[in-house]
Amino acid sequence: MLVQSLGYVGLRAKDIEDWSGYGTRLLGLQAVDRSRTTLALRMDDRKQRLIVEADGGEGIGFFGWEVADAAALDRLGAHLDSHGIEVARGVRALAEERRVADLLVARDPLGNRLEFFHGAETASEAFVPGRNISGFRTGPLGLGHVVLHVERIEEMMEFYRDILAFRLSDYFLRPYELYFFHVNRRHHSIAFAATGKNAVHHMMLELFSFDDVGQGYDLAAGEAGNEASGQKSRLAVTLGRHCGDFVTSFYTWNPSGFMTEYGWGARDIDPATWQPSERKEGPSIWGHDRAWLSPEQRTEARAMRLANAERGLRRPVQVLPGNHEVMDGVCPWFDDMKKQQKRA
């Protein structure tokens, strides 16, 4: 693939202090390199993953997509140019600001700023989380994923699929239309929701421990929202489990006016053999009551979840080596269920 992962994002905000508190005390990020109008946040060995700019706006100002090396960056630039996409080389000062060796700047069909880079700097000091968490699952998978509301979905999919060579993972059409794309073993690094508007839907961060997510849920449930934005509660989507990437997660409203998904247990896929399909069971196996949906869509989404429960929809829990214990004992019912799953 031309692109390897989602390496960083630039967040727009009205006030740095809002992101400093939310990012550290709830999400567990490490605040670094703060100025009056900018804030960098770490989540692993990289010097920064999230870059907040207090420009008075909302949403994501730029998306940093990582490539392998300088030669790959040059090939990508030539590839985009051959398709009539305007590409500019990032100046040295910008590369230093982004903590990368070099980068190119372009825009997608809806005007989103894309920064393609290589050579991200790593920190010599260990990551120190803002609250007591086990850490985030990043590395070659990237920082997580982003989902966008888009008005002209076919145009966006053609750009990312046909020009950037992102690959379709799967999609669903009810209770709303959403398409998922991958660039590595993460089920999706970006997705597009055909909602008739252009905005950021959410950004997902994946934790190593399920308990990190549960404790974050407790923290978020105790926080009030932003009344000025019509958000009475910090919580935007209740705890639930997705059908596609199997993540168990909840969502909160962040200071940039969109949602942050906080999750655990994402599946890996094999990009070489993966075949996309329609997810007729809907977005979630259970939970995930979405306050942002219309009343009609919430009713439909709930009906789909109840149908999943009625037919006993189950998915294996995704765990990392060393992050689980296998129980001793015999359970005839469970052994029989596993045999049935294999036959299906």
Side-chain angles (χ1 to χ4, degrees):
M1 294 185 185
L2 298 172
V3 169
Q4 291 187 326
S5 68
L6 178 63
Y8 60 78
V9 296
L11 301 162
R12 304 182 66 197
K14 293 180 172 60
D15 188 275
I16 288 296
E17 189 60 36
D18 292 342
W19 254 106
S20 179
Y22 171 81
T24 58
R25 293 192 294 272
L26 198 157
L27 301 182
L29 301 166
Q30 179 183 358
V32 294
D33 296 338
R34 176 173 175 164
S35 72
R36 187 175 62 84
T37 59
T38 62
L39 172 70
L41 294 162
R42 283 184 62 189
M43 60 189 299
D44 55 12
D45 62 340
R46 295 282 176 91
K47 285 198 171 180
Q48 58 187 23
R49 286 286 194 177
L50 308 182
I51 305 128
V52 185
E53 296 183 350
D55 62 359
E58 292 184 334
I60 293 179
F62 52 87
F63 301 80
W65 294 101
E66 187 165 10
V67 302
D69 50 33
L73 189 65
D74 289 340
R75 287 195 300 271
L76 177 58
H79 175 75
L80 292 173
D81 183 69
S82 71
H83 283 81
I85 308 299
E86 185 176 346
V87 183
R89 178 76 62 174
V91 297
R92 174 50 41 196
L94 179 61
E96 292 175 356
E97 186 178 318
R98 299 290 193 261
R99 304 286 193 169
V100 300
D102 198 6
L103 74 161
L104 299 174
V105 180
R107 292 191 180 273
D108 69 18
L110 294 183
N112 294 306
R113 180 183 170 101
L114 310 180
E115 298 182 357
F116 303 100
F117 73 93
H118 79 92
E121 294 181 23
T122 57
S124 57
E125 307 84 8
F127 167 63
V128 180
R131 70 176 180 90
N132 194 356
I133 62 171
S134 58
F136 298 92
R137 189 172 181 233
T138 58
L141 300 175
L143 71 85
H145 70 239
V146 291
V147 177
L148 306 179
H149 294 282
V150 295
E151 188 176 16
R152 305 191 304 273
I153 194 162
E154 287 299 331
E155 190 175 350
M156 284 287 278
M157 289 202 297
E158 287 174 4
F159 175 81
Y160 283 89
R161 180 191 61 214
D162 301 337
I163 297 179
L164 287 183
F166 287 27
R167 296 179 182 175
L168 182 66
S169 300
D170 51 35
Y171 63 96
F172 58 79
L173 304 176
R174 298 174 45 234
Y176 49 95
E177 196 174 342
L178 191 58
Y179 298 84
F180 302 84
F181 288 85
H182 62 271
V183 295
N184 53 46
R185 296 186 70 87
R186 190 182 288 283
H187 175 270
H188 60 283
S189 291
I190 196 168
F192 306 112
T195 56
K197 61 180 180 180
N198 298 321
V200 182
H201 182 280
H202 76 263
M203 166 183 67
M204 189 280 286
L205 308 180
E206 185 182 356
L207 285 296
F208 275 125
S209 171
F210 188 33
D211 291 329
D212 292 336
V213 175
Q215 289 161 358
Y217 193 73
D218 281 346
L219 289 170
E223 286 193 10
N226 185 344
E227 291 288 349
S229 301
Q231 301 163 3
K232 296 181 181 180
S233 171
R234 173 70 78 182
L235 282 174
V237 179
T238 60
L239 191 70
R241 192 172 189 218
H242 283 304
C243 295
D245 60 7
F246 303 165
V247 162
T248 301
S249 64
F250 68 94
Y251 298 59
T252 57
W253 294 110
N254 66 41
S256 293
F258 61 94
M259 295 179 289
T260 303
E261 181 183 5
Y262 205 62
W264 171 85
R267 73 193 301 187
D268 282 352
I269 65 171
D270 182 356
T273 59
W274 184 261
Q275 296 297 316
S277 61
E278 180 183 351
R279 284 160 43 184
K280 295 185 178 180
E281 67 273 26
S284 301
I285 301 172
W286 55 267
H288 282 156
D289 186 26
R290 295 161 170 85
W292 55 271
L293 285 176
S294 69
E296 295 78 15
Q297 288 176 320
R298 288 183 75 177
T299 298
E300 184 177 13
R302 176 173 172 77
M304 296 179 81
R305 297 197 304 272
L306 292 177
N308 291 338
E310 185 175 353
R311 65 189 181 91
L313 178 64
R314 303 289 184 268
R315 293 291 182 263
V317 176
Q318 311 296 299
V319 294
L320 293 168
N323 197 23
H324 70 286
E325 294 182 4
V326 178
M327 295 184 293
D328 293 329
V330 176
C331 179
W333 171 85
F334 188 65
D335 291 342
D336 183 62
M337 187 182 74
K338 287 191 292 185
K339 290 178 182 177
Q340 292 180 35
Q341 289 177 338
K342 286 182 180 179
R343 288 198 294 267

